[in-house]
Amino acid sequence: MLLLLSLLSLLLGGSQAQQEKYMLWVPESVTVQHGLCVLVSCSFSYPRDDRWTASYSAHGYWFREGANTDRHDPVATNKPGQRVQSRTRGRFQLVGDPSKDNCSLMITDARREDGAGYFFRVERGPSVKYNFLKGFSLKVTDLTQKPDVFLPATLEPGRPVPVLCVFDLAFERCPAPSFSWSTKAVYSQGKGPPASHFSTISLTPELRDHGTALTCRVLFPRQGVSTQRTVQLSVAHAPKELVIRVFRDQASAPESQGNVSYLEVQKGQFLRLLCAANSHPPATLSWVLEDRVLSWSCPSGPRTLELELPTVSPGDSGRYTCRAENRLGSQHGTLDLSVQYPPEDLRVTVSQENGTVLEVIRNASLPILEGQSLRLVCVAHSHPPARLSWTWEPQTLSPEWPSDPGVLELPWVQTEHEGEFTCHARSPLGAQHISLSLSVHYETPGPTAFSRGVFLGIGVTAVLSLCLLLVIVKTLRKARPRAEAGRRVSRSSTVLEYINVGPKAGPRARDRKAMPSSSSTIPSPDAHSPGPKKDQKELHSVPRDCPEPRWSTPALDPKNSPEELHYAALTFPGLRQWATQVPKDTHTDYEEIKFH
């Protein structure tokens, strides 16, 4: 009895030891996307006796969790003739060889109802029949995987290029999907293996295809299951759609200026210009003022180029050009900037007959000798151009030439011209004025260069000249009444008519200079002052009834010494021409006024 119990204990202990050798290696959880395939790697081991099992085939079975292996059909098996569940037939395949301890399972066209737990059973001969209850859990998720499309980043117009669409399968034995293409561009289907995980086409894009869509669609065996990827065709083109935006202050909204524009701003205002263009490959942007490059951007940098003028000044006026350029062409937009400001930097250039040129920038007094010519040129900087005008005391002087109201000419300064001359510059943005107080002075009596030259010339025959002079004086005293009656003075008395030797003449007769004459004929003592040359404009700012200079020569008093000379004068034919210097500054408002 004890021997029987001992044998039974040995038998039971051996069976328990053998059962502990049944092992299964499989992932606890497996995830697959809807419509795709997945390979569940699996291996196992079991106790075997080659004398019992070598002559039998090994069969493996995959069952859905909860199935009764004696009554329910498996989802997959390698046993010939074994019936499997209809919903998994052809989709669940035992691809491993159980005779080699491989229980790998391939699942294709995964469906949501496939999500469940599964366990494996092995059978081999009459002694090996075992269920590995600890299997794996399958989870089916939404289809999110998309194909990958490969094409050049930049397409050249009219040049064919190959385009490849690839769908990455879990492993090679997964069934190949089908591909389809859609695009507005011209393409032809490429050649490839009939069952493949990729597809190719030859694409010939045109410029009109830039920005259009190219779609590769992947279709799986189960109806209605597909995925796709869409890319935008990037066809190289020259810059286009260039836009200039203007910001008038740091917080303002942009003003689109289009391709060509004119912009007016106030002096001192903040201004920011922004330029952008559509191009591929990216263009190089640059800002140019007239012919000077102000800034530029690199193609790899921002797609916009900014130009900031924190405080606009008149010097910022001009044509601003934004240029966009790449290897296929260029485009540009222009902005004519006009800076407006009130009159400023008002000044008067004073030109006198003796060659003196002064520039007056503030109110000042201007002394001048009577009989000299005077030219005043008033200049103001402003935009829009200021309206210039001259006033003389309360009187407004009307310009003879409306286009030149800033120039005032006095060919013969007289005492009546004394007073304040004011130049006014007015514009819609403001006004400015500058005044000159004109004071007329008289020349101190004394020998002039001409008189010294005359006496030097006659000094060679001093004695003869003195005698001749006494004779002429007596003749002149006798001829005085006839001259006043209208007789013309003979040419033999030309020199003495310009030598005033009368000591009792009035102060003005002594001090005044002789007005240069345009005629070579010596005027009579009561004659009017000579008229201007043909190319010399008259002054109309002087009243028509203005007294003419006194040209009468007083009679010679024989009681006075002939050597007591006060001054001598010489009449030159015509007046000196004065050239008007026009400021070169394009922002200078320059006008001219002339007086008669």
Side-chain angles (χ1 to χ4, degrees), residues 222-409:
R222 182 175 175 83
Q223 186 177 3
V225 178
S226 64
T227 184
Q228 66 183 31
R229 184 177 294 276
T230 300
V231 296
Q232 300 294 322
L233 297 183
S234 181
V235 182
H237 62 87
K240 59 182 180 179
E241 301 171 4
L242 188 144
V243 176
I244 296 177
R245 292 183 173 86
V246 176
F247 298 81
R248 291 182 181 266
D249 57 63
Q250 296 183 353
S252 66
E255 304 172 16
S256 180
Q257 298 300 127
N259 191 43
V260 179
S261 180
Y262 176 80
L263 180 64
E264 290 184 347
V265 296
Q266 300 293 324
K267 177 183 176 181
Q269 187 175 356
F270 173 87
L271 191 64
R272 183 157 57 97
L273 307 178
L274 196 67
C275 178
N278 180 10
S279 65
H280 189 73
T284 298
L285 299 174
S286 62
W287 275 110
V288 179
L289 174 57
E290 304 301 342
D291 58 353
R292 180 165 56 95
V293 178
L294 302 178
S295 63
W296 65 91
S297 68
C298 298
S300 59
R303 302 299 176 90
T304 60
L305 182 60
E306 180 181 289
L307 180 63
E308 188 172 289
L309 304 175
T311 305
V312 177
S313 65
D316 295 325
S317 296
R319 171 161 290 188
Y320 289 80
T321 301
C322 178
R323 183 178 180 87
E325 184 175 7
N326 64 11
R327 58 184 174 82
L328 298 177
S330 64
Q331 189 182 31
H332 71 275
T334 59
L335 179 66
D336 290 324
L337 181 63
S338 175
V339 180
Q340 295 188 337
Y341 56 99
E344 60 183 30
D345 195 21
L346 185 62
R347 59 188 59 206
V348 175
T349 301
V350 180
S351 302
Q352 300 184 26
E353 183 180 359
N354 59 8
T356 302
V357 178
L358 303 174
E359 189 173 62
V360 181
I361 60 175
R362 61 176 61 89
N363 296 341
S365 296
L366 179 62
I368 188 171
L369 292 177
E370 184 182 29
Q372 286 194 352
S373 61
L374 182 66
R375 180 183 178 90
L376 306 177
V377 180
C378 183
V379 177
H381 298 270
S382 68
H383 189 75
R387 182 172 57 86
L388 299 177
S389 62
W390 279 97
T391 59
W392 179 26
E393 300 293 351
Q395 178 184 358
T396 299
L397 303 177
S398 300
E400 180 180 2
W401 304 280
S403 61
D404 298 327
V407 174
L408 175 64
E409 284 188 348

Side-chain angles (χ1 to χ4, degrees), residues 41-44 94-105 120:
S41 298
C42 177
S43 62
F44 66 97
L94 179 59
V95 294
D97 184 358
S99 63
K100 298 180 180 180
D101 302 340
N102 191 330
C103 54
S104 296
L105 174 69
F120 181 70

